[in-house]
């Protein structure tokens, strides 16, 4: 009985480790996408600003 409980406990701990690793991977992917979005937004902002300055000026 103790061996069965030990196996069940190890299974749950393994699942918890897997979920923690998945969570870390998701956070890293979101961080990367956020950096990309900010970079694209900054680049577009600069381009739009240059165009507006040239049209107005």
């Amino acid at each position: 009985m103790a061996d069965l409980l030990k196996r069940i406990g190890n299974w749950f701990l393994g699942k918890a480790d897997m979920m923690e690793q998945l969570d870390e991977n998701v956070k890293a992917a979101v961080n990367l996408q956020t950096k990309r979005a900010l970079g694209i937004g900054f680049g577009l902002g600069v381009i739009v600003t240059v165009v507006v300055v040239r049209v107005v000026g």
Side-chain angles (χ1 to χ4, degrees), residues 3-19:
D3 189 38
L4 175 65
L5 291 175
K6 187 176 179 182
R7 278 200 229 160
I8 292 172
N10 286 337
W11 183 81
F12 276 112
L13 288 176
K15 293 296 179 188
D17 288 342
M18 189 173 21
M19 291 302 292

Side-chain angles (χ1 to χ4, degrees), residues 12-57:
F12 276 112
L13 288 176
K15 293 296 179 188
D17 288 342
M18 189 173 21
M19 291 302 292
E20 185 175 326
Q21 184 178 9
L22 179 63
D23 185 48
E24 289 175 11
N25 292 342
V26 168
K27 285 180 184 176
V30 168
N31 191 19
L32 179 63
Q33 291 295 71
T34 302
K35 287 180 182 179
R36 285 181 182 166
L38 288 174
I40 291 170
F42 178 75
L44 286 176
V46 169
I47 291 170
V48 169
T49 303
V50 168
V51 169
V52 168
V53 167
R54 288 191 179 198
V55 168
V56 172

